[in-house]
Amino acid sequence: MTLEQLRIFVGVAEREHMTRAAEALNVTQSAASAAIAALEARHGVPLFHRVGRGIELSEAGRMFLVDARAVLGRAASAELALAEYAGLERGTLRLVASQTIAGYWLPRQLAAFHARYPSITIELAIDNTEGAAARVLDGAVELGFVEGVIDEPALAHWTVANDRMVLVSDRAADTIDEDWIRAARWIVREQGSGTRSSFEEVLRQRGIDPSGLTTALTLPSNEAVRSAVEAGAGVAVLSQHVVAPAIAAGTLHDLPLGLPLGLPLGLPRRPFYALRHKERYRTRAADALTDLIKETGK
């Protein structure tokens, strides 16, 4: 069993698609298939079910995925520790961020980091808040950036920015009260999304049970939610970063949702958090990025 085989297995398991995994990992499809076949043959255990032209993780595959990620995480930590001897002259910094942060806030920070440390390679994965925290926890990445609160004692978290949430519709409305909220058709992100959990939390603060709302669509990305609202399928609460161009263009309207958070005009805000494992090795590159973010935030 090699690290390359584990890397390919994790890539295929995360996508449950051999071709897409091979493209993402920059290997041929035959090499990816051979790596999976070698693991299965060596241990006599099927890691995937072949269903038609697709594949699905077997029970053994799901259990092995946890350990495979952990081994790759430890190997990455060991590689980083050795790379530290070269200072910030070379190396790779592995990050994960939730969709809103990765698409709208983080790129400016990474551009500034690259300008200052051009020899450091950045590898950025995108996941929802829960998935991002899991990657930091198992060591697959060193830093995570998420929108939702993570209750995990092994992870340190701190605020790096703030974001305003906006209620949007394809048409204007004068008054938004609790009856309107309960009667509206909502377009929401998937469970585990920081955008969704932030909205549900402010509803609970207002005494509204999120499960009592009418959910028209549950979609996997901010852009899909925004497009559905523009098409008239319902209303949604999204980051100002996601909807600002559409509001400026007149295809969406910012509705006056007065959520009682003690903020001017009742506009709900949420923090963006950075995450790191409390006990894993801290590289100079990660510290340099967090220091730069502090500088830009002042």
Side-chain angles (χ1 to χ4, degrees), residues 229-269:
V229 177
E230 288 178 309
V235 301
V237 169
L238 289 167
S239 164
Q240 63 178 345
H241 297 290
V242 177
V243 299
I247 291 173
T251 58
L252 287 180
H253 294 270
D254 182 350
L255 303 185
L257 177 59
L259 294 173
L261 298 181
L263 295 169
L265 303 180
L267 298 176
R269 292 183 180 270

Side-chain angles (χ1 to χ4, degrees), residues 77 80-81 84 142 276-277 279-284:
S77 295
L80 287 171
E84 285 292 274
E142 186 171 359
R276 80 184 322 154
H277 200 290
E279 297 180 357
R280 293 190 186 277
Y281 184 81
R282 292 176 53 175
T283 65
R284 294 180 187 175

Side-chain angles (χ1 to χ4, degrees), residues 46-58:
L47 299 174
F48 295 92
H49 296 302
R50 277 70 176 177
V51 182
R53 298 181 65 182
I55 57 173
E56 297 177 357
L57 274 171
S58 66

Side-chain angles (χ1 to χ4, degrees), residues 44 93 213:
L93 178 58
L213 300 186

